[in-house]
Structures are given as C-alpha cells and as structure tokens.
Amino acid sequence: MARRFLAMRPNDITQPITPFASVDKMMRDMLRAFGEFSSDMGYAPETERVPAIPRGDFYRKDGKVFAEFELPGIDPSKVELNVFEDRLTLQAEKSDEKTVEENDILRSERYYGKVSRSIQFPMEVDPESAKATFKNGVLTVEVAEKVQAEKMKKVAIEEKA
C-alpha cells in the first residue's frame, strides 16, 4: 500500500528543525576551518533547544481525517491538542525526570523540552467530532470531514407568450 501524505514529513535528523539550519551549519564549518570555533564566541551551539516537530502520518478514510503523531516518553496529560475547522495544533513537553549531575553525563542524545506541530487540513472538518487516543507513544486524532448540505431550489419554468 502506497502512503500519501497531506503534509511534508520532517527530515531524518535528531535536532529540531530551524529555518536557518543550513546557514548555521555553514557558519560553524567556516569557523571550525579557521580554528576559531568555541562555545564562548556568542554563536548559538548546535544543541540549542527550540521546539521540535513530532513526526506524523495523515490520511483520510471513510469520511474522516486521521492524524497520528509519535510522542514517545511524553505523558498524555501534558499534551495540548486543539482542532479547528481548518487546522490542528499540538503542543507538549517532554521532561527529564532523572537526577544526574551535568558533569556525570557522558552523552545525551534524547530530546527533552517542547514539541509543537500545526497541520492545515485540505478540507473543512467538524471540530465537535474530534476524538484522540494515546497508545504506545502514538497519539491518534480522528475528526470527521464537514458535511455541507447541498443547497437547492426548485425553479418553476414559466412559459411566455
């Protein structure tokens, strides 16, 4: 089965997506090439925390729109989900509960902090019909497409003499 996506999928990178990521990388590479790269230069480090974008799948089935988001390690009670007629917004925060001194950390690759996503629907939906479930780190949102009653007027035809 081929999958079609209503929205563009984020790149396969571990860092959050930033609008100027390629420019930042180029600047870091230039500074590194000249041997001037250091953390006290005032230049933003690569690991600076900005809201990450959770990955998702989006599809239509039986007159409904479905959105599934990967939210591993996030408590469902810390997720704010809003469904509008034309879009869906999602905000959550993943916190680190372990207490380890910064000097004792050998390597930290997991993301902690805010995640945020906004999806524009390709059609109007009925926000009142929205349902959400959370299972095994995946948030599934189901919302019915808005059914517009077809408006019609029967017009009598008059004969002219």
Side-chain angles (χ1 to χ4, degrees):
M1 174 175 121
R3 288 188 173 205
R4 293 184 186 205
F5 297 95
L6 301 178
M8 198 163 79
R9 226 180 153 127
N11 295 334
D12 285 330
I13 58 173
T14 57
Q15 294 298 319
I17 296 173
T18 61
F20 301 105
S22 60
V23 175
D24 288 343
K25 183 181 180 328
M26 183 177 69
M27 184 62 124
R28 281 191 303 276
D29 291 346
M30 282 181 11
L31 293 171
R32 192 175 296 121
F34 288 107
E36 298 174 3
F37 187 78
S38 72
S39 61
D40 58 356
M41 288 182 61
Y43 195 76
E46 193 170 334
T47 58
E48 184 176 296
R49 300 291 186 200
V50 294
I53 299 172
R55 293 171 181 254
D57 290 333
F58 313 96
Y59 56 95
R60 292 171 71 182
K61 184 177 177 184
D62 300 328
K64 295 180 181 175
V65 177
F66 291 85
E68 296 175 343
F69 297 98
E70 293 178 343
L71 299 173
I74 294 180
D75 181 359
S77 67
K78 294 185 178 181
V79 176
E80 181 182 324
L81 176 66
N82 296 301
V83 177
F84 301 89
E85 288 182 337
D86 62 340
R87 70 190 181 285
L88 171 150
T89 61
L90 168 77
Q91 293 182 342
E93 187 162 358
K94 182 178 179 183
S95 55
D96 185 8
E97 279 93 32
K98 65 180 173 289
T99 55
V100 177
E101 295 296 320
E102 181 129 359
N103 295 339
D104 293 334
I105 295 175
L106 301 174
R107 184 179 186 119
S108 180
E109 296 180 341
R110 295 188 294 169
Y111 178 82
Y112 297 99
K114 294 183 180 188
V115 295
S116 176
R117 187 84 190 253
S118 181
I119 299 297
Q120 196 77 26
F121 292 125
M123 77 289 291
E124 282 193 14
V125 297
D126 178 16
E128 295 298 318
S129 71
K131 294 185 245 176
T133 56
F134 195 87
K135 182 178 180 184
N136 296 330
V138 176
L139 173 68
T140 301
V141 182
E142 174 185 329
V143 61
E145 293 179 31
K146 190 175 254 185
V147 178
Q148 303 265 342
E150 187 175 16
K151 294 182 180 181
M152 181 209 52
K153 175 184 176 189
K154 189 168 187 166
V155 179
I157 302 173
E158 297 177 23
E159 270 189 65
K160 287 196 173 187

